Amino acid sequence: MKHYIIAYDITSQKRAYRVRKLLYRYAFGGQKSVLEMFLSKRDLNELIDRLKPLLKKRDRVNIIEICDDILAYGKGDILNYDKGVIII
């Protein structure tokens, strides 16, 4: 599994709702239109395949893979997640 940040900007509120509903099935955290996910290659491909029909020309979804050595600035701590563990 790899760690991803997914940010989206959808021009239609109706499509944005559908995209948000889909993405929240995979997310473990985030704020508004930026979500964090741990995805296997299979889950990533499935998510992309399910997103494609929801998007129109001016919509944007950025999927960013986070490298293993994360640099964190500020007061927040980096949390280590065990496979299969979701912290709520």
Side-chain angles (χ1 to χ4, degrees):
M1 290 198 142
K2 294 188 177 183
H3 188 194
Y4 295 91
I5 299 289
I6 298 185
Y8 61 94
D9 183 16
I10 309 299
T11 57
S12 158
Q13 286 185 351
K14 187 176 182 178
R15 281 195 318 279
Y17 173 78
R18 290 181 186 149
V19 168
R20 184 171 34 258
K21 189 174 175 182
L22 173 62
L23 292 176
Y24 270 85
R25 292 180 193 165
Y26 295 86
F28 71 85
Q31 297 179 353
K32 297 192 180 188
S33 61
V34 179
L35 302 169
E36 291 183 74
M37 301 178 189
F38 281 106
L39 300 170
S40 66
K41 185 69 172 170
R42 180 177 171 231
D43 289 338
L44 176 62
N45 290 331
E46 176 184 285
L47 176 59
I48 291 169
D49 288 343
R50 295 176 78 183
L51 273 173
K52 284 180 182 179
L54 299 177
L55 303 176
K56 299 295 181 190
K57 187 175 182 177
R58 298 185 68 201
D59 296 335
R60 172 177 280 171
V61 175
N62 295 309
I63 300 173
I64 304 156
E65 183 180 334
I66 303 300
C67 64
D68 292 334
D69 298 323
I70 301 171
L71 295 174
Y73 297 99
K75 296 181 181 180
D77 292 328
I78 296 175
L79 299 175
N80 293 320
Y81 299 98
D82 293 328
K83 185 176 181 180
V85 174
I86 299 173
I87 299 174
I88 298 176

